[in-house]
Amino acid sequence: MRRRPIAGLVFFLALSAGTAVALVSLSPLAALLVGLALASNFPLVFRAAQGNLDLLEPLVPASAAFIIMFVARPAFDVSRGTLGFLDFDISNGYPMALAAALVAVIAFNVGYSVAHLPTTVAVGAQRLLGFGQPRNDSTLVITGVALSIIGLSAALASAVLAGGAVTLVQDRGAIATGATNIPIVAAAATLTIPGTLLLWSVTGQSRRYARILSVFPLIVLGLTAIPKGDRRLLLPMLTAAISLGYLRRDRRPTWFVVGAALLVAFFVVVTPFRESRSGGQSFGEALLQGIQDPGRAVEGLMLAQDTSQVGVLAVLVQEIGDDRPLPWQYGMATLTETVLQPVPRQFWANKPETIRTQFIQYNWGMEGGRCVSQCPTVSVVGSLYADFGLPSVAIGCLAIGWFSKVWYLLMMSMRKDPMITAAYSATLFTFFLVWWSNLGVVVVDFAFYALPILVAGVFARAATQSHGRRDSAIGANIDTSNLHDTRW
């Protein structure tokens, strides 16, 4: 596609002029909101104007999430004059919360723009994953089925712990209490996603058989997610399915397709699932109401806790620091959600608590390791802010932006390999969660979605080699055209 740098430059100058006017004439909150809108939209619009925006790269879901949570929602709140979260007056912490968000998005975009994939890393990953080598269908099928069975077992466990399958389907209240919130059970159910993608990755004679088998984990996924109103299962699967379909054909969706997919996700998944979670409406009733009254559905999103990341962050800003209820974490907030995340508390009883746990415990209390009344999500920005304030937000988001681009470039360098495209597709929605959820969820997503697929690919290659098949030349087919992609 032909580049249009002049159009991008004109757009940049217009936005800069608008920002200057806003900073001079508007209130501090309005100026921060204008800055947030510019910083989050500029990379998308500028790259689109140049003609080199890939709608399946991490920048797109990350920017979309930031615009919803940190631009549209606070603009809605400010316009209504309602700066509050639950019963908290957050007027004192709101400006700093917006400032932290501004630092976060600028740092993310800078890290994303300067990232490149070293050739040595690309070749090393190619050697490890066996790029270009045939893989054993049986290994992929067995692994995909095994992961799906684990997911099915987790779904059945949820049903039993909720009081039976009928209770699971009919009574959201039963699901929200007791052992059904055990993290390992919830995480195990998500293995149906990599299980399905592995079955879709079979390319040999067993391909048709694997496609038929993949229907069963999808059914399990639906039966697990819909009664619980769990968008965290369906949205990643829908995103992965669309992404994988295009990547396998080396094509990209149009803006129309992306827009249509977003509308479907909003009206068929996000809105009815949110309403049915509360138990006031059935899924079908909420779906019909959202379609009949789209304005109300959009307003509901702007009023829901789903988009209240700035409000939660403002409360945290007011409560954390020296001589405040929650002390600075000095790096422990990041460690507990990354390096220490996989360590079971059964093996380390005194493992440091996450900042989210401390935050909920102080404000609402917890029982048995679970929240009992309010369970707000502390966003990635909040976790990073809890360490050192704005400096840790800048460093952390710079690293996340850099990693996001490198993961994309690694996939592009081996985009003809079904394993890497499946693993990448499984985690594409995770870059939406960078701003919607906490850092621990991002780490868990990569551990439960991408890692099983990549490990299965390695073992499938080893199984193929053990059968004496000829290996392809390692490193011969690597695509180096995308290793240094700093186009804006």
Side-chain angles (χ1 to χ4, degrees):
M1 186 179 292
R2 185 173 63 88
R3 295 176 179 239
R4 297 184 290 275
I6 295 179
L9 180 61
V10 171
F11 180 78
F12 174 75
L13 293 175
L15 291 184
S16 299
T19 304
V21 172
L23 292 175
V24 171
S25 61
L26 298 179
S27 67
L29 284 182
L32 284 169
L33 287 173
V34 171
L36 285 166
L38 294 178
S40 56
N41 281 283
F42 174 72
L44 288 175
V45 178
F46 186 71
R47 295 260 312 264
Q50 287 187 311
N52 55 23
L53 177 66
D54 185 347
L55 291 178
L56 295 182
E57 64 177 294
L59 178 66
V60 175
S63 297
F66 193 90
I67 291 168
I68 294 171
M69 258 70 75
F70 290 91
V71 179
R73 174 60 189 268
F76 179 80
D77 290 340
V78 171
S79 66
R80 296 172 69 242
T82 55
L83 297 184
F85 176 74
L86 300 177
D87 296 329
F88 292 88
D89 178 5
I90 57 175
S91 55
N92 290 334
Y94 210 83
M96 179 56 72
L98 293 181
L102 182 59
V103 170
V105 72
I106 292 175
F108 178 91
N109 289 336
V110 169
Y112 197 92
S113 67
V114 302
H116 70 275
L117 179 65
T119 303
T120 53
V121 174
V123 173
Q126 183 188 22
R127 289 178 179 272
L128 177 63
L129 299 178
F131 174 65
Q133 299 181 34
R135 293 187 174 90
N136 184 267
D137 286 353
S138 298
T139 302
L140 297 179
V141 171
I142 291 172
T143 307
V145 170
L147 292 174
S148 301
I149 290 175
I150 294 174
L152 173 60
S153 301
L156 292 175
S158 295
V160 171
L161 294 170
V166 175
T167 302
L168 178 67
V169 173
Q170 295 182 348
D171 190 355
R172 169 69 188 173
I175 298 170
T177 60
T180 52
N181 282 333
I182 294 176
I184 190 62
V185 174
T190 67
L191 291 176
T192 52
I193 294 176
T196 302
L197 296 178
L198 275 174
L199 293 173
W200 287 352
S201 300
V202 175
T203 58
Q205 296 180 349
S206 303
R207 179 179 179 179
R208 179 175 296 181
Y209 173 67
R211 296 297 190 276
I212 295 174
L213 282 177
S214 69
V215 174
F216 295 98
L218 288 176
I219 293 174
V220 172
L221 192 68
L223 292 177
T224 304
I226 292 176
K228 298 171 65 175
D230 194 345
R231 295 151 295 173
R232 281 282 290 113
L233 285 174
L234 284 190
L235 289 177
M237 186 68 246
L238 292 173
T239 304
I242 295 173
S243 173
L244 188 60
Y246 279 99
L247 289 174
R248 291 279 170 83
R249 293 177 293 167
D250 201 17
R251 296 176 58 186
R252 294 298 184 271
T254 63
W255 283 102
F256 175 80
V257 171
V258 171
L262 290 175
L263 288 176
V264 171
F266 177 70
F267 286 106
V268 179
V269 180
V270 175
T271 299
F273 275 34
R274 184 184 65 248
E275 297 299 326
S276 62
R277 280 172 65 93
S278 63
Q281 290 181 306
S282 68
F283 177 85
E285 292 172 342
L287 173 62
L288 183 61
Q289 186 180 75
I291 294 174
Q292 291 177 338
D293 191 353
R296 180 179 176 181
V298 173
E299 183 180 14
L301 181 65
M302 292 295 102
L303 293 173
Q305 287 199 32
D306 291 355
T307 57
S308 63
Q309 281 76 5
V310 174
V312 176
L313 180 58
V315 177
L316 181 66
V317 164
Q318 294 175 171
E319 294 181 348
I320 196 164
D322 296 330
D323 300 322
R324 292 185 178 180
L326 301 175
W328 293 114
Q329 302 295 290
Y330 297 112
M332 195 56 66
T334 301
L335 285 176
T336 52
E337 296 189 19
T338 53
V339 178
L340 302 181
Q341 178 83 9
V343 181
R345 193 164 293 277
Q346 289 82 354
F347 298 155
W348 186 5
N350 296 321
K351 186 175 80 168
E353 299 285 0
T354 64
I355 186 60
R356 179 175 184 257
T357 299
Q358 297 179 51
F359 179 66
I360 294 175
Q361 176 65 52
Y362 173 74
N363 289 292
W364 300 282
M366 301 186 72
E367 182 178 332
R370 294 189 297 272
C371 51
V372 294
S373 59
Q374 297 296 331
C375 308
T377 296
V378 175
S379 67
V380 168
V381 181
S383 296
L384 294 173
Y385 183 87
D387 279 330
F388 303 102
L390 294 182
S392 53
V393 171
I395 295 171
C397 289
L398 186 76
I400 294 172
W402 179 88
F403 172 78
S404 302
K405 186 65 169 290
V406 168
W407 178 232
Y408 166 73
L409 294 177
L410 180 64
M411 181 278 296
M412 288 295 292
S413 70
M414 297 188 290
R415 60 185 178 273
K416 295 182 180 180
D417 189 286
M419 293 294 102
I420 190 68
T421 53
Y424 176 84
S425 298
T427 58
L428 185 57
F429 186 75
T430 303
F431 297 102
F432 189 94
L433 295 177
V434 164
W435 305 119
W436 187 14
S437 195
N438 57 66
L439 190 58
V441 168
V442 175
V443 174
V444 169
D445 273 12
F446 270 85
F448 278 79
Y449 293 167
L451 191 60
I453 295 174
L454 297 178
V455 171
V458 172
F459 277 98
R461 178 202 61 174
T464 297
Q465 291 177 343
S466 68
H467 282 79
R469 297 184 182 180
R470 182 176 62 86
D471 294 339
S472 300
I474 295 178
N477 298 316
I478 192 168
D479 185 351
T480 60
S481 62
N482 295 287
L483 300 186
H484 302 274
D485 185 8
T486 55
R487 295 175 288 182
W488 56 274

